[in-house]
Amino acid sequence: SFEWLVFVSDTVPGDVCEVKIIKVASSFAVGRVEKFIKKSALRVCDRCDISACSSCAYKCISYACA
């Protein structure tokens, strides 16, 4: 069986989303969230006021889970 890894920014474990695939490689893909169906219980409000910064991939996840 073939398993494919899909990287999706701005998601946390437990999020259920509709995702649009924007890049495909031989063993993985990159997607973009089109719609959140259910947000994870691990998700907290953004702790950072700089919304243009994308360097913190885990800014939406609780410290207790990190």
Side-chain angles (χ1 to χ4, degrees):
S1 90
F2 180 74
E3 291 188 24
W4 219 23
L5 182 62
V6 180
F7 295 100
V8 183
S9 294
D10 301 323
T11 60
V12 300
D15 280 342
V16 178
C17 310
E18 288 182 11
V19 174
K20 180 177 183 177
I21 302 299
I22 56 175
K23 179 181 178 181
V24 176
S26 60
S27 61
F28 70 93
V30 178
R32 178 180 60 227
V33 174
E34 293 286 304
K35 176 182 172 183
F36 281 96
I37 296 169
K38 180 181 175 188
K39 291 191 176 183
S40 172
L42 302 177
R43 182 177 285 279
V44 295
C45 295
D46 292 347
R47 292 185 296 271
C48 181
D49 293 332
I50 306 171
S51 61
C53 176
S54 61
S55 64
C56 185
Y58 298 103
K59 68 181 181 180
C60 293
I61 196 167
S62 167
Y63 279 121
C65 298

